[in-house]
Amino acid sequence: MEGKVVLLALSASLLLVVLSKLKSLLVAKPKFKLPPGPWTLPVIGNLHQLVTSPNIYRAMRRLAQRHGPLMVLRLGEVPVMVVSSPEAAREVMKTHDILFADRFLNATLSAFTFNGNNMALARYGERWRQLRKMCVVELLSAARVRSFRHIREEEVARFLESLATSAATGSAVDLSQMISRFINDTFVRESVGSRCKYRDEYLDAIGTAIRQTSVLTVADLFPSSRLMQGLGTAPRKVLACRDRIQRILEQIIHEKTEAMDHGDEEAAQSFVTVLLRLQKERTMPIPLTNDTMVAVMFDMFGAGSETSSTVLNWCMTELVRSPAAMAKAQAELQDAFNGRSTITEDDVEGLSYLKLVIKEALRLHTPVPLLLPRVCRETCKIMGYDIPKGMVVFVNAWAICRDPKYWDEPEVFRPERFESIDLDYKGTNFEFLPFGSGRRSCPGINLGLSNIELALASLLYHFDWKLPDGMEPEDVDIFEAAGLVASKKTSLILHPVARIPPPGKYD
């Protein structure tokens, strides 16, 4: 009798479970027509299909070639849509821009960006609009960028003098490292008004943090799991780097405040000066706290210097690999300046081929290959597919810029291609999106390019560049390091040979 009671109880329990499941299936739920995607495995989703490539954007392009320009993946428990065509990018970044105006923050990115307190990864809303407006009007306007011209010219002169010293001794230089330091010094002077004694510590911290963003850590893949949050090491390592960066920036702000109080004119001409003035005037609709100032300065230092040094490094790498393009760029400079000892920013304005070189480097080596991830704010339709609210969106700008449907010989460095096509890089041409498009496009394009153009022109005008013994142009590797920014994986080692020695002004 007792056994029958137990069996009856178990049967009743099983019936309740079955009825519950049936009820859940019968309850009306929205039926989504999702974009196609590759098959997934339990728990890990599509991770096994992405780790086969050293760079996730390369793996995403390979999958998109099979599944289409809108493709759905699952990274752990995170649903992701990958955009891989100009038409799809236009839908996301123009037609439905406001619906995709939020940024995605996983545990690592949150630790890296002061919990989204900076402008680049802040949530879309009034605070973000005011921060962007402040940066565009007060920090990144054309007039403000022009006001730093003397800084760029002085830093280029310092850079050239250090190269001239190596050229005189016949020594090879790590040009990648020298470019990184030059760009960082330039951004620091534009940002705080003087050279920075914390440069090496800052570069080490930012470099370590960026490398951690390339790791598919379990904390990012399984955000709902407390266990996985505890096991993930990347967020903790990034947080330690961010703490170092924050300490440096806070010290810089403190020192510049004191310098301004003592009437230091150089300190009064910088981004931090503008921020301190706005903080004092209290004219911002949102509180401009010290923490917010640190976050904005982090955007200036991190996003600006890292991407600019990456682009300049790729320009030199591709020119060394393409002797014909190098010769053409140098001939343009020689014809324009005819042996003058110094060139200025005004001189660079008329250099057409140099600008094509930069465009082609931006196309072939998009500095942020997946741009910065977005989140769908409301369920919507893109190209006939339903995109649910909360879907993370990656725009594979790297793949779009190498799509053979839009680019002839897309893997070849050929600046001349831009002579016959009128494309800019400001987000209006969706087959060429090195800086994104729409509300969340990069606001610092003019500053970044200004820091590149004169330096590149000067490197080509004043020096020839020889490879180490035994190396041919095709031996120079073009592999990208893993991470948010597609920097060159290995350093560019070259011998500078003086053509037109620069004046020695900074001993």
Side-chain angles (χ1 to χ4, degrees), residues 325-337 460 499:
M326 173 75 84
K328 191 170 182 177
Q330 289 184 316
E332 179 185 54
L333 288 159
Q334 182 60 37
D335 290 345
F337 307 131
L460 300 180
R499 300 177 75 236

Side-chain angles (χ1 to χ4, degrees), residues 38-49 73-77 222:
W39 60 281
T40 63
L41 288 175
V43 183
I44 66 170
N46 298 103
L47 292 178
H48 61 294
Q49 293 154 327
L73 303 174
R74 187 162 55 82
L75 307 185
E77 61 185 26
F222 302 97

Side-chain angles (χ1 to χ4, degrees), residues 187-198:
F187 264 97
V188 166
R189 284 192 63 190
E190 291 166 335
S191 299
V192 303
S194 62
R195 298 169 71 80
C196 181
K197 60 187 176 185
Y198 312 107

